[in-house]
Amino acid sequence: MACPSKLKSYKIILPLTMPAFVTIAVFNFLGAWNDLLIPLVLIQTPEKMTLPVGLLNFRGMYEAELTKMFSAVVISAIPSIIIYFVLQDKLLKGMIAGAVKG
């Protein structure tokens, strides 16, 4: 059975560290969402391509389908924008948490 003092410390520590956890989660999500190099090297089948690798298909040898590429880039940015707006307050609190002096 857990000590009651440990349970109280989790009730205090976890809410205070939540903005930092959310900030780390958002940055990890954006890093994974925008990753190009590793999926480009490792994934061979077109069905398993990630979105940034799929955006390379709009580029040809002598031309690029810019209108289709730009619309695909806008659509691919929507999940990142939604996550930012949903978690904006915790993200900003986590980023400025260590900036307060005194």
Side-chain angles (χ1 to χ4, degrees):
M1 189 164 148
C3 179
S5 64
K6 287 187 179 181
L7 292 176
K8 288 181 184 177
S9 65
Y10 285 119
K11 289 181 181 180
I12 295 170
I13 294 172
L14 194 60
L16 291 174
T17 59
M18 193 57 67
F21 287 144
V22 170
T23 303
I24 292 169
V26 168
F27 284 138
N28 282 338
F29 169 77
L30 290 176
W33 184 259
N34 294 326
D35 191 20
L36 175 68
L37 183 62
I38 294 174
L40 182 64
V41 171
L42 296 179
I43 297 176
Q44 300 297 323
T45 59
E47 295 85 24
K48 296 180 182 179
M49 281 186 190
T50 60
L51 193 58
V53 177
L55 288 174
L56 291 176
N57 291 333
F58 291 107
R59 187 183 54 155
M61 182 172 247
Y62 298 111
E63 66 179 357
E65 300 178 24
L66 293 179
T67 56
K68 293 178 184 177
M69 185 187 302
F70 289 152
S71 62
V73 166
V74 169
I75 290 172
S76 69
I78 290 174
S80 301
I81 294 169
I82 289 172
I83 288 199
Y84 175 75
F85 280 123
V86 169
L87 301 173
Q88 179 181 6
D89 57 336
K90 291 195 182 292
L91 183 69
L92 291 176
K93 286 179 187 176
M95 288 173 52
I96 64 171
V100 179
K101 188 175 181 181

